[in-house]
Amino acid sequence: GTTDRQSRADAGLTVYAAASLTDVFPAFDKDEKYSFGGSNALAAQITNGAPADVFASANTSLPAQLYAKGLVEKPVNFTRNTLVIVVPKSNPAGIHTVYDLAKPGVKVDVANSAVPVGGYTLQILKNMNLTAKVSPNFVSQETDVREVLAKVALGQADAGFVYSTDAQTVPGQVTVIKMPAWAQPKITYAMAVVTKSPNQAAAKAFVDSILGKAGQAALVKYGFLPLAKPAAKPIKPIKKKAKK
Amino acid sequence: MADLAADFTLPLRSFELELGLRVDRTVALVGPSGAGKSSVLRALAGLARPSRGRIALGDDVWFDAERRLFRQPDERSVGLVFQEYALFPHLSVRRNVAYGGRARVDEYLERFHIGHLAESSPTELSGGERQRVALARALAREPGLLLLDEPLSSLDAHTRTTVRAELQELLREFALPTILVTHDFDDAAALADEVGVIVQGTLRQLAPPQELVARPADAFVASFTGANLLRGVARRTADALTEVRLETGEAVFSADPGEGAVGVVVYPWEVTLGREPHTDSALNSIVGDVRSVVTVGTRVRVQVGPITAEVTASSAERLEVERGGRVVASFKATGTRLVPLG
Amino acid sequence: MADLAADFTLPLRSFELELGLRVDRTVALVGPSGAGKSSVLRALAGLARPSRGRIALGDDVWFDAERRLFRQPDERSVGLVFQEYALFPHLSVRRNVAYGGRARVDEYLERFHIGHLAESSPTELSGGERQRVALARALAREPGLLLLDEPLSSLDAHTRTTVRAELQELLREFALPTILVTHDFDDAAALADEVGVIVQGTLRQLAPPQELVARPADAFVASFTGANLLRGVARRTADALTEVRLETGEAVFSADPGEGAVGVVVYPWEVTLGREPHTDSALNSIVGDVRSVVTVGTRVRVQVGPITAEVTASSAERLEVERGGRVVASFKATGTRLVPLG
Amino acid sequence: MRKALHVVGLFAATALTLGFLVLPLAALFTRQSPVELVHQLSNPVVTDALKLSVVTSAIAQALILLLGTPTAYLVATRRFPGRSLVVTLVELPLVLPPAVAGIGLLVAFGRVGLLGSTFDALGISVAFNRTAVVLAVAFVASPLYLRAAIAAFEALDPNLVAASRTLGAGPVRTFFRVALPLTSAGLAAGAALSLARGLGEFGATIMFAGSLQGVTQTLPLAIYAEFDRDFDVAVTISALFVVITAAILLSLKLSALWRTSQRTSRSLFARLSWS
Amino acid sequence: MRKALHVVGLFAATALTLGFLVLPLAALFTRQSPVELVHQLSNPVVTDALKLSVVTSAIAQALILLLGTPTAYLVATRRFPGRSLVVTLVELPLVLPPAVAGIGLLVAFGRVGLLGSTFDALGISVAFNRTAVVLAVAFVASPLYLRAAIAAFEALDPNLVAASRTLGAGPVRTFFRVALPLTSAGLAAGAALSLARGLGEFGATIMFAGSLQGVTQTLPLAIYAEFDRDFDVAVTISALFVVITAAILLSLKLSALWRTSQRTSRSLFARLSWS
Ligand SMILES: Nc1ncnc2c1ncn2[C@@H]1O[C@H](COP(=O)(O)OP(=O)(O)OP(=O)(O)O)[C@@H](O)[C@H]1O
Ligand SMILES: Nc1ncnc2c1ncn2[C@@H]1O[C@H](COP(=O)(O)OP(=O)(O)OP(=O)(O)O)[C@@H](O)[C@H]1O
Ligand SMILES: [Mg+2]
Ligand SMILES: [Mg+2]
């Protein structure tokens, strides 16, 4: 009950953050508790009453939806990222460009389309109109980006779409194949304070620290891209229910 | 010493158990398997609830259907010894005996000659020892009624007789109203003052053992007491005798009156063997092959066709009876009884 | 008709079963529970593998330790009837009988009077019927050796005698080498030509029933055949008699020679009852309380102190023996046998 | 009053326990009207998953029966050293977290796992395809069957087997004519349980086989996927599951009940009244 | 030769089955040297998860024993209509996918669930915290105990209970002096199984309690989390798991074995040689 929220207040904030932030957040502020996972899964948990103080998503739409439902305060963008292809060091399928993914029998691992990175993957393929050629090679739809990375690193899959930042976390195990900039979707991370959070102040502080110099520096250090326009202006909520 | 007065109906799976009984001394219940013997004990002990009637020990009422009164087993002053003794395997002999009555345990251990087993586990005991423990446990509670379910059946042939004698003494000592269930007529005769024969949940006959042998109420009782039972059809004859035409064809005569389908009851020791058939109608004779010859001490049991005769070893030798041979079995018309066949 | 020749050692849990046996007719194995009786049958049927020896039916060798030869049960011409009959509950009586030998099923159904039960399930049968089915099933295979494990033990007292007679006839008919296991000496005596007494895995005595009664090899055999066994210490006396001082204090005399711890064997029908003790050393007398009185037909079994007497009903009446009374039990010194006590 | 008290306590505890176990399942049906539930079932996600689950479970079940039955028979009828170790091994997957099972399967059969290269050489691929699903399902489901089967074969009266042998039937005939018919009930029970368990396999599958609609996304994976996407669909599938498994178990119970009711009375004192 | 053949087949099937079940578990130990394994265990993720798992499992187990035992006793000793339905309900969670359990718990006790508002009013929150973990564990683990306990109480010779009653012991005394001691073995077995199962709970927890290190991230969740982060850690925890659960089950088996070995021989024909 409330008591154990109190205890959490003492124990620091509970931050629900996209899987791609797994390394940077704890490195930047190790006093908080983190729950990393697919942004959509985290959103769902918050909807179901998960006691999060801050929600950091790998896209802007999910925070916007929660904001629309009044579950979180007004979201703010805090960083950007780019999409890359990773292949196992051994590169069994001999993947060198994105076009190789169209070769028959290549095991391409992607994230669930509801997961931000999954959405971005579909988008980039569409931009390069490779969707028809590559999507037949999809072998799985993982629940978050790190699972894609893991499956590729393990060599289970021949290739996978992840954020460039994730690719850097397992240097020895995967080879990165860059994607053309023109095809890159607009990958913007947004975060918000959870309305029900008993630690509004501390939560706000955390958000600000991320937006602040140190926070941005840490993000860049881990390969994230600084925001195009430093001013974090609110985006208007998009009222659409994610339904296929 | 209060008497037990029981009169109740207990619905069983396939039939109803209907019983009226007054017990001051030892009553044995005999009957075939499934007759309802154990169920009687269950009802008296409060382990099963009758649908009708009344059970009381003296003026202490245990069950009364009218008054919706049903005392739980632990509220009845009853000692029940189970068919397989149901000793607590996880408790030592002493703690088994102490379970019901903590008072004079050692005394009981001694009394039943199981003092030396006090600390051992029931699982290590012989059949006879187990039975003694079970009795001690039941009696240590100093009950007003003693119930024994086949106390001898799980003993093997030659411990049986000795244990039976022990039991006989104990029953006399404690002089409690006692009901004991058994399969075996000899046990019943040895242990009980009265024997009740139960079949299909109804009490066929309740009488002293000798009485049952002398005047069996029906075919079942007769064969149960070890008599030969010859099935046939009876019709009166000119002289005072009844003629019975047996299923096997022969005609036999009895001094008993009878009509229609009857069983001719004759005990093995009333049958004599010979070589020549008799013509005298007062003396029945049945000719047949010797189907078995069993020597029991000085007596020989010979099965001739449908009938078993028990004769002295000497006469058996004289006749040179042996399997397969032909002999004549004779018995007096006055030595037979007729029982109706249901 | 080939004979069975078996001589083997079978290690059991707590002791070794050691047996040498030649069977042409019916041999009964008797002995206390756990003696190894069933194990013998298991070894012969190939259900257990002896560590040593040889088993052969005629010149058809089933087991030979030297030659590492062990024939599986299904490769031995043996019919085994199990203690609880082990009928297949999921098959009709007919299919049970047909299981072993499909050839002349109906014939066997008729022969064993179970034709009318052909389609019913074994679970619906009475004990006696079950036993007949089990026998039919075992014999339908037309085996060269018949093994019966306590064929009567699971029948209740009064079907028992009739079934015993049936069995007796069947054994004679088929005239197979047969081994039957039993707890009960009377069954053994009734059914077998020779009786073997097994205790703790060793054959104590193998002889015709009468022989066992006449000359029991040891205390166990004696008490097993229904004799009284009085324990005591023997010492030679001036005259040709042996004096035995009983545990109970009395001294009795026997015509048998003996030394040290012995058992005095005397059969109930050799004991007479009276009021006055005798002084003649040729006639032993034991004074004691009457502990039980059981009437069996014309005979009465009276337990006096340590000894049981079987007397005629008339003499029992004359003496007015009844529980608790004091009488004198007498038996001839020549009527006793002495057996060593291990 | 002491007596009344203990009875009350007894019933209270029971009510609480059952309530706790039943409520979550009941709740699944309260969110939507039955109509909506049924309607949701036509959702392609659900139908695809259902098809896949049925197919893979069927294959897995077939394997389990074919290989598990002899195994159980052997374990049950032979006494050998380390027997209880084997039984334990058989039971392990029963209590292991599916995640562990998944990881185990990956390191064993995965492309980089122990046998990965072997499989590649054989041209078998067990990654991200039905084969992987079947393996995962078989791995977590078989123990339930094996356990039940072993128990059933152990309960089989050895005298009946012996009787069959002495009546001239060889081991094989004995097995099919006696052992199998008499244990069928127990085996069926085991099969039903393992079937239900297999249908519900989640953790191992998602790690070892991945989750792709129509290929490797079984019902439980669909639940998980829809949990983030469309909660109602997740609830629907869950409800569907409860119905299926309940049906399986209940039919099992009833058949068992029916069988026993045919047999004779269990012990005499069964009916002893307590309160 | 027919005979030899069937024996070969028998052993082949067994080898295949056991191999399939054992290999994945064995493989877990091949990736790293025992030293590395042990070393990994000091990883805070592992220690946190271990602590949490121990605490929550302990609480859940306590609840299960306290409430489950009387329930099982009632169900086992009373004949009442719909009894087999109850038993089925008790067994359902055993075969339901944990995912379903998770969803069920959410819709029942979650914030938006049936009792959510009630709980909120009471100021209790049972979603995504320790309480949630305990509930999830209890929900999936209790059936294993209940089943075993019911079986144990049913196997208890009713004559012994009856004897106790006729010896003047009331129901309560009878329960504690006779029923409980004589079923302890069975109950222990059930408890051990449910403990193991509870420790391994994954699907329901992740959905109902989330995965927050130190708060709701039990060992299985840690495995799942580390699978994405550091595969070796995941493998380590998995190996740890195999060891723990194997230990639990094995000790169980051995104690059982020990007990039976004390009793007298099971049936005579047990030793019947087959091949
Ligand atoms: N708990 C019970 N409820 C209803 N019927 C029962 C119960 N127990 C036994 N019966 C039925 O009551 C009948 C009599 O059983 P009971 O055990 O009293 O017979 P019995 O004479 O003791 O048999 P046996 O000599 O084999 O012990 C049987 O048909 C049995 O099926
Ligand atoms: N499969 C077995 N392996 C080893 N020992 C056994 C086996 N079965 C029984 N025994 C032991 O062999 C001994 C004799 O058993 P067996 O059944 O042959 O005796 P029995 O004379 O038939 O007893 P009963 O008259 O009670 O049937 C017993 O001590 C028993 O513990
Ligand atoms: Mg009875
Ligand atoms: Mg035997």
Side-chain angles (χ1 to χ4, degrees):
Chain A
T2 42
T3 55
D4 104 285
R5 291 200 174 188
Q6 231 47 54
S7 66
R8 215 184 296 110
D10 312 336
L13 295 169
T14 301
V15 178
Y16 277 39
S20 46
L21 298 165
T22 301
D23 301 271
V24 58
F25 270 19
F28 171 66
D29 177 350
K30 62 178 185 339
D31 305 333
E32 321 301 348
K33 283 203 170 52
Y34 297 99
S35 178
F36 298 105
S39 303
N40 59 323
L42 299 175
Q45 292 187 7
I46 290 170
T47 317
N48 279 297
D53 297 308
V54 177
F55 173 46
S57 171
N59 63 8
T60 55
S61 56
L62 282 165
Q65 287 166 30
L66 294 192
Y67 178 56
K69 293 192 198 141
L71 290 168
V72 300
E73 303 301 327
K74 184 173 295 177
V76 293
N77 304 352
F78 66 95
T79 191
R80 296 187 296 116
N81 210 338
T82 52
L83 209 59
V84 298
I85 296 174
V86 284
V87 299
K89 261 276 175 283
S90 56
N91 196 357
I95 309 292
H96 302 294
T97 78
V98 63
Y99 300 98
D100 295 338
L101 297 183
K103 291 193 294 186
V106 177
K107 296 185 186 318
V108 180
D109 200 11
V110 300
N112 187 323
S113 62
V115 186
V117 70
Y120 297 137
T121 305
L122 296 182
Q123 209 174 323
I124 201 169
L125 290 173
K126 184 153 157 297
N127 296 354
M128 305 178 74
N129 52 51
L130 284 168
T131 315
K133 298 210 191 61
V134 175
S135 56
N137 283 342
F138 288 175
V139 290
S140 181
Q141 295 167 325
E142 309 298 351
T143 50
D144 68 48
V145 62
R146 288 306 180 103
E147 221 168 300
V148 178
L149 183 64
K151 293 258 169 89
V152 174
L154 263 179
Q156 271 301 95
D158 297 325
F161 285 88
V162 300
Y163 299 116
S164 56
T165 52
D166 299 302
Q168 297 176 11
T169 62
V170 285
Q173 304 169 37
V174 298
T175 318
V176 176
I177 299 169
K178 290 221 163 0
M179 301 291 290
W182 60 265
Q184 286 285 350
K186 184 161 168 302
I187 303 177
T188 309
Y189 287 51
M191 66 198 301
V193 173
V194 177
T195 316
K196 267 212 155 55
S197 164
N199 319 310
Q200 292 292 334
K204 277 206 164 42
F206 178 82
V207 175
D208 294 340
S209 69
I210 295 296
L211 291 169
K213 268 206 161 22
Q216 293 297 310
L219 285 162
V220 171
K221 175 156 164 287
Y222 277 81
F224 289 86
L225 305 178
L227 288 165
K229 302 172 213 61
K233 68 158 175 42
I235 354 118
K236 53 177 146 31
I238 309 153
K239 297 224 174 14
K240 84 164 213 314
K241 198 156 180 301
K243 188 163 201 163
K244 45 193 303 304
Chain B
M1 199 44 56
D3 299 4
L4 172 79
D7 170 17
F8 61 85
T9 308
L10 177 66
L12 294 176
R13 189 160 288 98
S14 37
F15 54 84
E16 276 205 334
L17 174 64
E18 182 80 52
L19 191 86
L21 198 61
R22 213 178 163 75
V23 184
D24 50 356
R25 300 161 310 165
T26 303
V27 170
L29 294 180
V30 298
S33 186
K37 306 185 295 295
S38 300
S39 301
V40 173
L41 304 193
R42 277 167 54 223
L44 295 175
L47 296 170
R49 183 178 190 138
S51 58
R52 178 202 69 73
R54 189 167 181 288
I55 300 174
L57 185 69
D59 41 26
D60 178 11
V61 182
W62 288 351
F63 170 71
D64 190 334
E66 271 83 62
R67 288 166 43 201
R68 289 222 170 331
L69 172 74
F70 179 80
R71 298 265 225 85
Q72 287 294 315
D74 44 312
E75 298 164 321
R76 304 184 180 199
S77 169
V78 61
L80 172 53
V81 174
F82 289 81
Q83 195 155 350
E84 257 68 34
Y85 307 140
L87 298 176
F88 301 125
H90 61 302
L91 301 180
S92 69
V93 166
R94 161 171 279 110
R95 309 194 55 221
N96 260 280
V97 175
Y99 194 94
R102 207 159 275 63
R104 293 148 47 213
V105 176
D106 295 298
E107 186 182 324
Y108 277 95
L109 288 174
E110 281 325 312
R111 162 70 122 333
F112 289 83
H113 317 104
I114 45 178
H116 59 294
L117 304 170
E119 297 318 322
S120 46
S121 147
T123 52
E124 306 161 8
L125 306 185
S126 77
E129 292 166 336
R130 273 209 215 91
Q131 196 236 32
R132 289 211 292 276
V133 177
L135 268 167
R137 184 178 70 173
L139 289 168
R141 201 189 159 200
E142 294 172 348
L145 171 67
L146 181 60
L147 305 174
L148 309 171
D149 197 347
E150 315 225 352
L152 302 172
S153 64
S154 55
L155 305 176
D156 58 25
H158 67 296
T159 42
R160 199 185 171 98
T161 39
T162 54
V163 175
R164 185 202 273 168
E166 291 175 8
L167 193 54
Q168 207 169 32
E169 266 180 284
L170 281 169
L171 293 182
R172 204 171 68 258
E173 267 182 63
F174 284 87
L176 285 172
T178 302
I179 301 183
L180 78 91
V181 162
T182 169
H183 269 122
D184 181 47
F185 181 71
D186 291 353
D187 292 344
L191 296 169
D193 310 295
E194 281 193 309
V195 178
V197 182
I198 297 191
V199 180
Q200 278 277 316
T202 52
L203 195 59
R204 291 288 188 82
Q205 190 169 9
L206 177 64
Q210 298 75 1
E211 176 78 10
L212 287 188
V213 174
R215 274 175 294 290
D218 58 32
F220 178 84
V221 176
S223 64
F224 197 86
T225 56
N228 290 295
L229 184 74
L230 309 171
R231 301 164 172 286
V233 181
R235 63 172 189 68
R236 278 226 145 289
T237 55
D239 51 20
L241 297 178
T242 313
E243 180 187 6
V244 180
R245 183 144 309 272
L246 302 182
E247 288 169 347
T248 49
E250 297 98 336
V252 300
F253 295 87
S254 169
D256 260 16
E259 278 300 337
V262 296
V264 181
V265 175
V266 52
Y267 285 89
W269 48 87
E270 289 166 338
V271 182
T272 60
L273 296 182
R275 286 254 159 260
E276 295 311 318
H278 305 261
T279 47
D280 170 5
S281 74
L283 196 58
N284 299 301
S285 43
I286 289 177
V287 184
D289 297 356
V290 175
R291 291 169 59 191
S292 79
V293 180
V294 183
T295 312
V296 185
T298 52
R299 320 274 303 172
V300 180
R301 292 178 70 91
V302 183
Q303 183 160 20
V304 182
I307 194 168
T308 302
E310 187 178 301
V311 298
T312 60
S314 52
S315 64
E317 264 155 35
R318 201 183 59 256
L319 283 164
E320 296 155 345
V321 286
E322 58 182 7
R323 281 190 210 157
R326 266 185 104 66
V327 293
V328 180
S330 316
F331 49 94
K332 295 208 202 68
T334 52
T336 63
R337 280 154 226 83
L338 295 187
V339 293
L341 285 183
Chain C
M1 199 45 56
D3 298 5
L4 173 78
D7 171 16
F8 61 85
T9 309
L10 178 67
L12 295 176
R13 190 161 288 94
S14 36
F15 55 83
E16 275 204 336
L17 174 64
E18 182 80 51
L19 191 87
L21 197 62
R22 207 175 170 76
V23 183
D24 50 357
R25 301 160 309 165
T26 303
V27 170
L29 294 181
V30 298
S33 186
K37 306 185 294 296
S38 298
S39 301
V40 173
L41 304 193
R42 277 169 53 225
L44 295 176
L47 297 170
R49 183 178 189 139
S51 58
R52 178 202 72 72
R54 189 167 181 288
I55 299 174
L57 185 70
D59 40 42
D60 179 11
V61 182
W62 287 351
F63 169 72
D64 191 334
E66 271 83 61
R67 288 165 44 202
R68 290 220 169 331
L69 171 74
F70 179 81
R71 297 264 226 86
Q72 287 295 316
D74 44 311
E75 298 164 320
R76 304 185 181 199
S77 169
V78 60
L80 172 54
V81 174
F82 290 81
Q83 196 155 348
E84 257 66 36
Y85 306 139
L87 299 176
F88 301 124
H90 61 301
L91 300 179
S92 69
V93 166
R94 162 171 278 109
R95 308 195 55 222
N96 261 280
V97 175
Y99 194 94
R102 206 162 276 64
R104 292 145 50 212
V105 175
D106 294 297
E107 185 182 323
Y108 276 96
L109 289 175
E110 281 325 312
R111 159 72 119 334
F112 288 83
H113 317 105
I114 45 177
H116 59 293
L117 303 170
E119 296 320 321
S120 46
S121 147
T123 53
E124 305 161 10
L125 306 184
S126 79
E129 292 165 335
R130 275 210 211 93
Q131 196 237 30
R132 287 209 293 277
V133 177
L135 269 167
R137 185 179 68 172
L139 290 168
R141 202 190 157 197
E142 293 173 348
L145 171 68
L146 181 60
L147 306 173
L148 308 171
D149 197 347
E150 315 223 352
L152 302 172
S153 64
S154 55
L155 304 176
D156 58 24
H158 68 295
T159 42
R160 199 184 171 98
T161 38
T162 54
V163 175
R164 185 203 274 168
E166 291 174 8
L167 193 53
Q168 205 169 34
E169 266 179 286
L170 281 170
L171 293 183
R172 205 172 66 259
E173 266 181 63
F174 284 87
L176 282 172
T178 303
I179 301 183
L180 78 91
V181 162
T182 168
H183 269 124
D184 181 47
F185 181 71
D186 291 353
D187 293 344
L191 295 170
D193 309 294
E194 281 193 309
V195 178
V197 181
I198 296 191
V199 181
Q200 278 277 313
T202 52
L203 196 58
R204 290 289 188 82
Q205 189 169 9
L206 177 64
Q210 297 74 0
E211 175 78 10
L212 288 187
V213 175
R215 274 174 296 287
D218 59 31
F220 177 84
V221 176
S223 63
F224 196 86
T225 55
N228 291 295
L229 184 74
L230 308 171
R231 303 165 170 285
V233 180
R235 63 173 189 71
R236 278 228 146 291
T237 56
D239 50 21
L241 297 178
T242 313
E243 180 187 8
V244 180
R245 183 143 310 272
L246 301 183
E247 287 168 347
T248 48
E250 298 97 337
V252 299
F253 295 87
S254 170
D256 260 15
E259 279 300 336
V262 296
V264 181
V265 175
V266 53
Y267 285 88
W269 48 87
E270 288 165 338
V271 181
T272 59
L273 295 183
R275 285 254 161 261
E276 295 311 317
H278 305 261
T279 48
D280 170 6
S281 72
L283 196 59
N284 300 300
S285 44
I286 289 177
V287 185
D289 298 355
V290 175
R291 292 168 60 191
S292 79
V293 180
V294 183
T295 314
V296 186
T298 52
R299 320 276 301 171
V300 180
R301 291 179 70 91
V302 183
Q303 182 160 22
V304 181
I307 194 168
T308 303
E310 187 178 301
V311 298
T312 60
S314 53
S315 64
E317 264 156 35
R318 200 182 62 256
L319 282 164
E320 297 156 342
V321 288
E322 58 183 7
R323 281 190 210 159
R326 270 185 98 70
V327 292
V328 180
S330 314
F331 49 94
K332 295 208 201 67
T334 53
T336 62
R337 276 156 231 83
L338 295 186
V339 293
L341 286 183
Chain D
M1 263 358 274
R2 205 177 108 289
K3 190 192 298 166
L5 225 160
H6 88 262
V7 179
V8 172
L10 205 56
F11 277 96
T14 311
L16 197 57
T17 313
L18 294 183
F20 171 63
L21 287 176
V22 173
L23 192 61
L25 307 183
L28 290 171
F29 297 86
T30 59
R31 270 182 70 94
Q32 297 147 291
S33 72
V35 190
E36 288 172 306
L37 274 176
V38 175
H39 172 72
Q40 291 277 25
L41 291 182
S42 58
N43 178 325
V45 179
V46 182
T47 49
D48 284 3
L50 186 55
K51 278 200 217 85
L52 181 66
S53 278
V54 170
V55 174
T56 49
S57 296
I59 301 174
Q61 199 61 31
L63 288 174
I64 292 174
L65 293 180
L66 240 62
L67 294 177
T69 311
T71 308
Y73 194 56
L74 196 73
V75 174
T77 52
R78 300 228 184 187
R79 303 265 149 282
F80 50 84
R83 181 167 173 285
S84 65
L85 185 76
V86 170
V87 178
T88 311
L89 281 176
V90 166
E91 287 178 349
L92 256 184
L94 195 64
V95 285
L96 276 178
V100 173
I103 302 243
L105 287 165
L106 268 176
V107 289
F109 306 119
R111 295 174 91 195
V112 293
L114 286 181
L115 300 188
S117 45
T118 331
F119 281 164
D120 272 350
L122 300 172
I124 317 169
S125 155
V126 291
F128 302 112
N129 55 19
R130 283 210 166 79
T131 321
V133 179
V134 171
L135 285 186
V137 170
F139 186 76
V140 297
S142 53
L144 273 169
Y145 177 72
L146 283 168
R147 259 177 117 230
I150 291 175
F153 285 127
E154 276 177 341
L156 173 65
D157 176 1
N159 284 354
L160 294 177
V161 175
S164 167
R165 298 303 307 278
T166 59
L167 288 168
V172 177
R173 180 145 177 268
T174 300
F175 177 77
F176 285 104
R177 298 261 335 249
V178 176
L180 215 47
L182 286 174
T183 49
S184 53
L187 299 186
L193 282 179
S194 76
L195 178 66
R197 176 74 178 81
L199 277 172
E201 208 310 297
F202 168 62
T205 314
I206 203 169
M207 286 192 155
F208 182 55
S211 164
L212 184 65
Q213 187 181 335
V215 182
T216 58
Q217 191 180 76
T218 57
L219 278 172
L221 297 187
I223 295 177
Y224 192 61
E226 290 305 308
F227 171 67
D228 320 340
R229 198 182 284 137
D230 182 343
F231 194 66
D232 285 346
V233 177
V235 173
T236 309
I237 307 181
S238 304
L240 174 64
F241 245 112
V242 175
V243 174
I244 296 178
T245 33
I248 294 179
L249 288 189
L250 208 54
S251 58
L252 198 64
K253 279 276 161 315
L254 294 180
S255 68
L257 205 69
W258 176 76
R259 265 194 312 281
T260 47
S261 71
Q262 290 190 311
R263 289 204 213 85
T264 50
S265 71
R266 61 194 289 281
S267 171
L268 300 189
F269 295 87
R271 289 277 228 52
L272 169 54
S273 75
W274 284 93
S275 42
Chain E
M1 262 359 274
R2 205 175 108 290
K3 191 193 298 166
L5 226 162
H6 89 262
V7 179
V8 171
L10 205 58
F11 278 95
T14 310
L16 197 56
T17 313
L18 295 183
F20 172 61
L21 287 176
V22 173
L23 193 61
L25 306 183
L28 291 172
F29 295 87
T30 59
R31 272 182 69 94
Q32 295 150 292
S33 72
V35 190
E36 289 172 306
L37 275 176
V38 176
H39 172 73
Q40 291 277 25
L41 291 181
S42 57
N43 177 323
V45 179
V46 181
T47 48
D48 282 5
L50 188 55
K51 279 200 216 83
L52 181 67
S53 278
V54 169
V55 173
T56 49
S57 297
I59 301 173
Q61 200 59 31
L63 288 174
I64 292 175
L65 292 181
L66 241 61
L67 294 176
T69 311
T71 308
Y73 194 56
L74 196 73
V75 174
T77 52
R78 300 228 187 188
R79 305 263 149 284
F80 50 84
R83 181 169 174 284
S84 65
L85 186 74
V86 170
V87 177
T88 312
L89 280 176
V90 166
E91 288 179 348
L92 253 184
L94 196 63
V95 286
L96 274 179
V100 173
I103 301 262
L105 287 165
L106 265 177
V107 290
F109 306 121
R111 172 185 292 168
V112 295
L114 282 181
L115 301 187
S117 44
T118 332
F119 282 159
D120 269 350
L122 300 172
I124 319 168
S125 139
V126 293
F128 303 98
N129 56 21
R130 274 211 172 72
T131 323
V133 178
V134 172
L135 288 186
V137 170
F139 185 79
V140 298
S142 53
L144 273 170
Y145 177 72
L146 283 168
R147 257 176 120 230
I150 291 175
F153 284 127
E154 277 178 340
L156 173 65
D157 176 0
N159 284 356
L160 293 177
V161 175
S164 167
R165 298 302 307 279
T166 58
L167 288 168
V172 177
R173 180 147 176 268
T174 300
F175 177 76
F176 284 104
R177 298 259 336 248
V178 175
L180 214 47
L182 286 174
T183 49
S184 52
L187 300 186
L193 281 179
S194 75
L195 178 66
R197 176 74 179 82
L199 277 172
E201 209 308 297
F202 169 63
T205 314
I206 204 169
M207 290 202 161
F208 183 50
S211 170
L212 185 59
Q213 186 182 337
V215 181
T216 62
Q217 192 179 77
T218 57
L219 278 173
L221 298 185
I223 295 177
Y224 192 59
E226 288 307 304
F227 173 70
D228 299 359
R229 201 178 297 147
D230 180 344
F231 192 65
D232 286 344
V233 178
V235 173
T236 308
I237 308 180
S238 304
L240 174 65
F241 244 112
V242 175
V243 174
I244 295 177
T245 33
I248 295 178
L249 290 187
L250 206 53
S251 58
L252 196 65
K253 281 276 161 317
L254 294 180
S255 67
L257 206 69
W258 176 75
R259 267 194 311 281
T260 47
S261 70
Q262 290 190 311
R263 288 204 215 88
T264 49
S265 71
R266 61 194 288 282
S267 172
L268 301 189
F269 295 87
R271 289 279 229 48
L272 170 54
S273 75
W274 283 93
S275 44

